[in-house]
Amino acid sequence: MQVALGGAGEESGKPVAGENPFTPRASLLRYWNKQIGSGLPKSTFLLSKASPLSAVESATFTKLAAQNALSDNLPAFCKSANLLCFPDLGLSLEKHDASSNFAVYLNKNFTNYGTDGLGGTDAFTKYSEGDNLPVDSFKRYSRDSVGNNDKFDNYGRDGNVVDQSFSGYGAGATGGSGEFKKYNEEVNVPNLRFSSYTDDGNGRQQSFTSYTNETNSGDESFSSYGKNGNGSPNEFTSYGSSSNVIGSTFTGYGETANAANDTFKSYGFEGNVPENNFKNYGDGGNAGTDTFTSYRDQSNVGDDSFKSYAKNSNSAEVDFANYGQSFNEGTDTFAGYGKGARNHKIGFKIYGVNNTFTDYAKKGISFSRYTNKSSETMTPMAVSGSSVNRWVEPGKFFRESMLKKGTVMPMPDIRDKMPKRSFLPRTISSKLPFSTSKLEEMKKIFHAADNSSMEHMFTEALDDCERAPSKGETKRCVPSIEDMIDFATTVLGRNVVVRSTQSVKGSKQNVMIGSVKGMNGGKVTKSVSCHQSLFPYLLYYCHSVPKVRVYEADLLDPKTKANINHGVAICHLDTSDWSAGHGAFVALGSGPGRIEVCHWIFENDMTWTIAD
């Protein structure tokens, strides 16, 4: 019997008794019946994501969208439509003692907090821990203070889609210290901004210890950090270690500072595809000392850019030790490095591959044991099993031969970590701007500030949706279930069914493969796979790639042999256009075009196939 998996039973395709026929859900059911001719039960899994708007709400918000007036009604729209929206923060006029303990605050705007403060200690312990969509703003915090100590300990741990900004933090402060310990550890998709942080500071010490460790897909920016500072040591220890696709930008960091002492120790250690950008770092500084120890060591790929680093500085001393020893080649660019500097000393010791030094100072720079491609094997086959587990979760990719009854294999964490949202009805989504050329309009509707998490969501989703398809790929981003049905039936025809893994049971543990069934008799077939994008409303990136086989398999407990899940897997038979650094080849060995690669369909992702 052909089934449409979803984990919560099946839909008859008929409206619920007494349901208003003008709700978005009722309209969707009629559209499904009209466009899909398989006659099979509908997936509760997919229908559960339909818009929850009532008929009246749908008509109201459709009218507001047509009038470009949703922005004025955003809170009501977000709540009724089950969207991902950040709260609008107003100015905080709260008064606090000189020494304050903030343990359970969330979504706060600390404006002018601690300005001109004398002494005292402010502690943010377990602040915003485990919260969903925390938005915190520290504007002009501790400005012109003397001897004030700020501690951010276990700040924002386990947060989801974190948005935090430190603007003008500690500017003009004398003495004291700012300590960020285990800051935003194990968070998902953080967006952290330090703008004009400790500018004009005097002797103020900043330390970032275990900052954003084990973080997933985040961005941190340090803009004008420590500019014009005097004798202010900064230390980044275990910054971004074991993180996945983390991006950090240091713009104007330590610019024209005097006697700055900055240490980056184990920065980006064991990260997966980290991207770090140092622009005008230490430009015009005097007697600065910078140390990069084990920077991006043992990471997978990664790209670093040092532009005009230590340019026009005086007596700068910079040491790169064990820099960029990525197991898979990264790319590092040093443009204008040390150019115009006087009495400087810059050393590269045990430095990695694929590095470009453009227009850098010819004197005062030494290279010791520089690794090139010919002197060291840097292929995925050379990586030990323990190293693989750091970057690619066991079981995330596997060979087709593993899909046999009795095989015991690790199941990756297939849980969906994105915030819960719903689709918009097409009557509304079709009226909303969605293109790079209309980014400002999108930001206005959803109250997205410049460089905010919401703006990053927009740009990343648009990048994926607007990029050209890869060879043989057909793709479309769909903001409604109606659009998804249109795309799937355009590619596969009207006789289609949607499948997803039944539940998340078995995640992060070994499972035994039970009975296995190949779709289309196990022959090469077509499919349309759809993956979530992080966006205010549900947006799926759907694409069809050639030469796949799709399987359903019972998943059993290896000890009791009890059935615990029903999984859907897809095997890509043609990997010739995949990157050599793709996680599949890191985990399985080999390379593009040489092996097939299989993976499970994760929670809330799905694949459409022709109905058997």
Side-chain angles (χ1 to χ4, degrees):
M1 175 183 174
Q2 184 73 54
V3 294
L5 297 174
E10 302 302 330
E11 279 283 346
S12 66
K14 298 179 181 179
V16 177
E19 181 179 10
N20 189 317
F22 299 105
T23 64
R25 184 181 179 280
S27 176
L28 169 62
L29 290 175
R30 292 192 295 272
Y31 194 78
W32 190 307
N33 290 333
K34 177 183 176 182
Q35 297 300 115
I36 295 178
S38 65
L40 294 170
K42 298 176 182 63
S43 168
T44 305
F45 154 76
L46 183 54
L47 291 178
S48 68
K49 303 179 186 305
S51 174
L53 291 173
S54 67
V56 173
E57 289 170 333
S58 179
T60 299
F61 291 123
T62 297
K63 183 177 180 180
L64 290 172
Q67 297 172 342
N68 197 26
L70 277 177
S71 178
D72 297 333
N73 299 271
L74 184 64
F77 179 49
C78 291
K79 182 178 180 180
S80 299
N82 188 32
L83 307 185
L84 164 60
C85 300
F86 289 99
D88 293 326
L89 293 184
L91 294 179
S92 172
L93 300 178
E94 298 178 52
K95 299 295 184 181
H96 303 280
D97 296 333
S99 294
S100 303
N101 188 352
F102 301 85
V104 291
Y105 276 67
L106 173 66
N107 294 340
K108 285 290 184 178
N109 185 346
F110 292 84
T111 304
N112 291 322
Y113 182 90
T115 298
D116 298 318
L118 180 63
T121 299
D122 303 321
F124 290 77
T125 302
K126 295 187 177 180
Y127 183 98
S128 292
E129 183 173 14
D131 286 308
N132 190 38
L133 312 181
V135 180
D136 304 319
S137 175
F138 293 82
K139 192 172 183 180
R140 297 191 292 274
Y141 186 98
S142 280
R143 185 175 63 173
D144 297 323
S145 63
V146 177
N148 196 63
N149 298 321
D150 307 319
K151 294 184 178 181
F152 293 80
D153 194 359
N154 284 314
Y155 182 101
R157 181 183 171 91
D158 292 322
N160 188 33
V161 195
V162 176
D163 188 287
Q164 289 155 0
S165 64
F166 290 79
S167 180
Y169 180 98
T174 297
S177 65
E179 179 181 341
F180 290 78
K181 190 174 182 180
K182 293 187 176 180
Y183 182 96
N184 272 326
E185 194 170 36
E186 297 182 11
V187 301
N188 186 39
V189 199
N191 181 30
L192 313 171
R193 302 177 303 283
F194 290 81
S195 180
S196 299
Y197 187 98
T198 66
D199 279 13
D200 300 304
N202 181 38
R204 183 175 174 85
Q205 180 177 353
Q206 312 291 340
S207 65
F208 292 80
T209 305
S210 295
Y211 183 97
T212 65
N213 283 11
E214 299 183 23
T215 290
N216 181 44
S217 301
D219 291 287
E220 284 105 31
S221 76
F222 292 81
S223 180
S224 188
Y225 183 104
K227 186 175 181 179
N228 300 323
N230 180 41
S232 299
N234 301 296
E235 181 176 349
F236 291 79
T237 303
S238 293
Y239 179 102
S241 291
S242 302
S243 294
N244 180 41
V245 197
I246 200 83
S248 303
T249 301
F250 292 80
T251 304
Y253 184 102
E255 190 172 355
T256 64
N258 181 45
N261 185 355
D262 304 321
T263 302
F264 291 80
K265 189 175 182 180
S266 294
Y267 183 103
F269 188 74
E270 293 183 1
N272 183 38
V273 200
E275 296 185 9
N276 305 302
N277 184 8
F278 292 81
K279 189 175 181 181
N280 291 324
Y281 184 103
D283 192 353
N286 179 45
T289 301
D290 304 320
T291 304
F292 292 78
T293 304
S294 295
Y295 180 99
R296 217 189 73 217
D297 196 13
Q298 303 302 312
S299 292
N300 178 35
V301 195
D303 298 286
D304 298 327
S305 173
F306 292 81
K307 189 174 182 181
S308 298
Y309 186 100
K311 185 178 180 181
N312 298 320
S313 61
N314 181 45
S315 299
E317 183 173 334
V318 186
D319 185 23
F320 289 82
N322 286 320
Y323 180 95
Q325 287 285 91
S326 304
F327 94 89
N328 235 349
E329 293 179 26
T331 302
D332 306 307
T333 303
F334 289 79
Y337 186 97
K339 187 177 181 182
R342 298 175 299 281
N343 304 317
H344 59 283
K345 181 182 178 183
I346 301 171
F348 292 84
K349 187 177 182 181
I350 313 180
Y351 191 82
V353 303
N354 262 11
N355 307 296
T356 303
F357 295 84
T358 304
D359 197 25
Y360 70 95
K362 306 304 180 185
K363 296 181 180 180
I365 297 181
S366 63
F367 295 87
S368 176
R369 225 193 102 184
Y370 180 94
T371 303
N372 56 42
K373 290 181 70 173
S374 61
S375 66
E376 185 170 323
T377 302
M378 300 293 286
T379 64
M381 293 293 288
V383 186
S384 68
S386 61
S387 294
V388 168
N389 293 339
R390 298 170 185 167
W391 302 292
V392 184
E393 187 179 9
K396 185 173 184 178
F397 301 104
F398 52 91
R399 301 295 299 274
E400 194 172 18
S401 60
M402 299 287 285
L403 289 170
K404 290 182 179 179
K405 189 172 183 178
T407 299
V408 176
M409 61 188 295
M411 186 78 166
D413 185 358
I414 65 170
R415 295 173 299 172
D416 175 21
K417 297 179 178 63
M418 289 195 184
K420 304 301 181 185
R421 294 146 294 148
S422 297
F423 278 108
L424 287 175
R426 183 150 65 179
T427 54
I428 296 178
S429 65
S430 62
K431 294 176 174 60
L432 298 181
F434 186 81
S435 69
T436 300
S437 62
K438 296 182 178 180
L439 178 60
E440 292 304 316
E441 295 177 44
M442 296 167 61
K443 289 167 60 179
K444 180 179 178 181
I445 292 173
F446 288 96
H447 300 183
D450 292 344
N451 298 316
S452 64
S453 291
M454 186 68 76
E455 184 182 33
H456 282 275
M457 279 185 221
F458 291 157
T459 56
E460 289 184 11
L462 290 170
D463 284 347
D464 281 341
C465 295
E466 294 179 348
R467 71 164 175 81
S470 58
K471 182 181 177 181
E473 180 188 36
T474 304
K475 62 186 280 284
R476 183 182 301 172
C477 287
V478 295
S480 70
I481 297 179
E482 293 92 334
D483 290 322
M484 184 183 288
I485 290 173
D486 285 351
F487 181 65
T489 54
T490 297
V491 175
L492 303 173
R494 297 181 64 238
N495 185 35
V496 293
V497 64
V498 62
R499 294 180 170 85
S500 182
T501 296
Q502 190 174 56
S503 72
V504 298
K505 292 181 179 178
S507 287
K508 302 180 72 174
Q509 65 188 55
N510 285 337
V511 296
M512 177 181 284
I513 304 298
S515 61
V516 179
K517 178 184 178 182
M519 303 300 98
N520 193 30
K523 299 176 184 178
V524 177
T525 187
K526 287 183 178 181
S527 74
V528 170
S529 293
C530 297
H531 314 281
Q532 275 192 86
S533 296
L534 185 57
F535 210 71
Y537 46 89
L538 271 183
L539 176 74
Y540 274 79
Y541 176 95
C542 295
H543 66 135
S544 175
V545 292
K547 297 183 181 179
V548 299
R549 277 193 280 262
V550 179
Y551 294 91
E552 290 179 355
D554 287 327
L555 303 178
L556 316 179
D557 184 304
K559 295 180 180 179
T560 67
K561 308 300 187 294
N563 195 324
I564 59 174
N565 204 346
H566 192 80
V568 176
I570 184 168
C571 294
H572 300 266
L573 307 182
D574 182 5
T575 58
S576 56
D577 285 330
W578 292 22
S579 165
H582 193 286
F585 304 131
V586 173
L588 304 175
S590 195
R594 295 167 58 189
I595 61 170
E596 86 294 338
V597 173
C598 304
H599 61 85
W600 298 107
I601 299 297
F602 282 26
E603 182 186 20
N604 288 326
D605 287 348
M606 67 198 84
T607 188
W608 294 75
T609 62
I610 298 171
D612 286 347

